[in-house]
Amino acid sequence: WVEIIGDAAQPFLCLALDVPPPPLFQDDRATNIIHQVSLHTCLSKYDGRTPSALIGDSRKRYILCADGGLPQVLLLHVKRFEKNQFFTEKSPTIVHAPVRGLDMSPYVDGPVAPEEARYDLVASICHDGPADAGSFRALVRRRATGQWFAVADLEVSETQPETVATSEAYVLVYERR
């Protein structure tokens, strides 16, 4: 949880989040619907109750241990890409990520103070285009004003928080309040 940068320790945590697969069948009215899930659905892997990884004959359950408190920075890696023997696929599922007030207390073993478990989104890294091509762009929040900006190569433009929450995020960067 701690990375040493220069002389200062920077506590962080990186969690890999599985994206549920889109439904195989759609009804007559859902022909062009993009599959959507909440970030909490993806985080349920770490609630201590939801079985996730199949290891041997049993499913494993995960929960976060915060003996020294939760870290200042939380990195969430949304696992959008899956490689098989023939090609790499990208999940188009939209993960709704809260821009403010992500509560991590349901995923921590033991009691944690409410102010210790609240995080605000400060950046989102997105992949645009197909899995074997495309480009990356970053959505970043300016701390002084709270404005959001989209950064792609040398192009910077202002964007709305609503678009950040529903982007095809690949990495979400949260900072504790």
Side-chain angles (χ1 to χ4, degrees):
W1 283 25
V2 176
E3 177 183 7
I4 304 298
I5 300 173
D7 294 334
Q10 301 293 324
F12 73 96
L13 175 63
C14 184
L15 299 175
L17 304 178
D18 300 317
V19 178
L24 293 175
F25 302 103
Q26 297 177 341
D27 62 18
D28 293 337
R29 292 178 289 171
T31 55
N32 292 320
I33 303 257
I34 296 173
H35 187 236
Q36 302 180 37
V37 297
S38 73
L39 182 60
H40 289 287
T41 300
C42 298
L43 281 168
S44 68
K45 171 182 181 178
Y46 298 100
D47 66 6
R49 296 181 307 276
T50 305
S52 54
L54 181 62
I55 300 176
D57 293 335
S58 63
R59 291 213 173 261
K60 300 297 179 188
R61 293 181 169 98
Y62 301 101
I63 193 159
L64 304 178
C65 296
D67 296 335
L70 287 170
Q72 185 66 29
V73 177
L74 182 63
L75 301 173
L76 301 179
H77 168 225
V78 180
K79 293 167 51 177
R80 289 202 173 277
F81 300 97
E82 188 172 320
K83 189 172 186 172
N84 61 32
Q85 289 180 314
F86 306 106
F87 50 87
T88 302
E89 292 183 278
K90 177 184 170 186
S91 171
T93 300
I94 299 294
V95 177
H96 287 276
V99 175
R100 299 190 49 79
L102 172 64
D103 182 11
M104 289 298 292
S105 62
Y107 315 105
V108 177
D109 186 25
V112 61
E115 64 275 1
E116 291 283 322
R118 295 265 184 217
Y119 288 83
D120 293 332
L121 189 65
V122 293
S124 175
I125 301 170
C126 305
H127 181 268
D128 298 321
D132 59 348
S135 61
F136 291 94
R137 65 186 162 94
L139 303 169
V140 294
R141 180 174 57 91
R142 185 174 181 201
R143 187 178 298 194
T145 62
Q147 291 174 295
W148 282 91
F149 294 92
V151 181
D153 294 328
L154 297 176
E155 185 179 323
V156 178
S157 59
E158 191 171 351
T159 189
Q160 298 300 314
E162 296 81 15
T163 62
V164 175
T166 58
S167 63
E168 284 189 29
Y170 178 61
V171 176
L172 297 165
V173 181
Y174 280 91
E175 185 176 45
R176 193 174 66 211
R177 285 185 175 176

